[in-house]
Amino acid sequence: MDWLGIGITLLGAAFLVLVILLIKPLRSLTGTLDNLKKTTASLPEQVEGAASQATEVIQQGNKTLNDVNRKMNELNPLFAIIGNIGRTLNTLSSYIVDVVSKVNMSTTPLLDKLMKREHMEAILSVATLGYVLFQKKKQ
């Protein structure tokens, strides 16, 4: 045999040893790939389930948000009334302070000053507050 034949024989023997050594890791890799195939086979169903649950959660969140918005819209007029009453009571209290200080300085009766037309909205606002609270208490 010449050197070429010996070289090819050695290469063949080395390749055979390499194949024998790689059989066990390749079988292990085959098992891993089979397990991966089984896992990924159920993945679309799991993703679909998670997506449907996320859709339900988003729908519930939208319903809750719509409910909160509706309730806030119902409360907005009440807040406006309370704000108007607060401003009216502020005006009324400053007016009463002015009247008391003027009564101390003058002889004009207090009842005449309270019944002037420009201060009637304060009295009407207090009456409105009383009516709203009475109606709420009835309900």
Side-chain angles (χ1 to χ4, degrees), residues 103-114:
V103 166
N104 288 336
M105 294 181 191
S106 68
T107 59
T108 308
L110 178 62
L111 186 58
D112 290 341
K113 292 217 178 227
L114 282 175

Side-chain angles (χ1 to χ4, degrees), residues 5-136:
I6 295 173
I8 291 176
T9 305
L10 285 176
L11 281 175
F15 187 72
L16 181 65
V17 169
L18 180 67
V19 167
I20 291 172
L21 289 176
L22 288 179
I23 286 176
K24 188 172 181 177
L26 288 176
R27 284 190 180 166
S28 176
L29 180 62
T30 303
T32 303
L33 290 177
D34 286 340
N35 288 335
L36 181 63
K37 183 179 178 182
K38 290 176 187 175
T39 303
T40 56
S42 65
L43 189 61
E45 296 159 359
Q46 292 174 354
V47 169
E48 184 178 328
S52 66
Q53 288 178 353
T55 302
E56 289 175 19
V57 167
I58 290 171
Q59 289 174 350
Q60 283 295 96
N62 286 339
K63 287 178 184 177
T64 303
L65 187 60
N66 288 335
D67 187 44
V68 168
N69 285 336
R70 184 181 51 80
K71 289 178 181 175
M72 285 301 295
N73 287 335
E74 290 174 4
L75 289 176
N76 279 341
L78 183 61
F79 290 147
I81 290 171
I82 291 171
N84 289 339
I85 290 170
R87 286 188 290 277
T88 301
L89 289 176
N90 188 16
T91 304
L92 181 64
S93 65
S94 65
Y95 173 71
I96 290 173
V97 168
D98 290 343
V99 168
V100 168
S101 65
K102 287 181 182 178
V103 166
N104 288 336
M105 294 181 191
S106 68
T107 59
T108 308
L110 178 62
L111 186 58
D112 290 341
K113 292 217 178 227
L114 282 175
M115 296 311 281
K116 284 187 178 179
R117 179 161 172 77
E118 65 261 15
H119 298 292
M120 286 300 288
E121 70 265 359
I123 294 170
L124 289 175
S125 294
V126 171
T128 302
L129 173 64
Y131 178 74
V132 168
L133 291 176
F134 179 72
Q135 290 296 326
K136 288 289 182 180

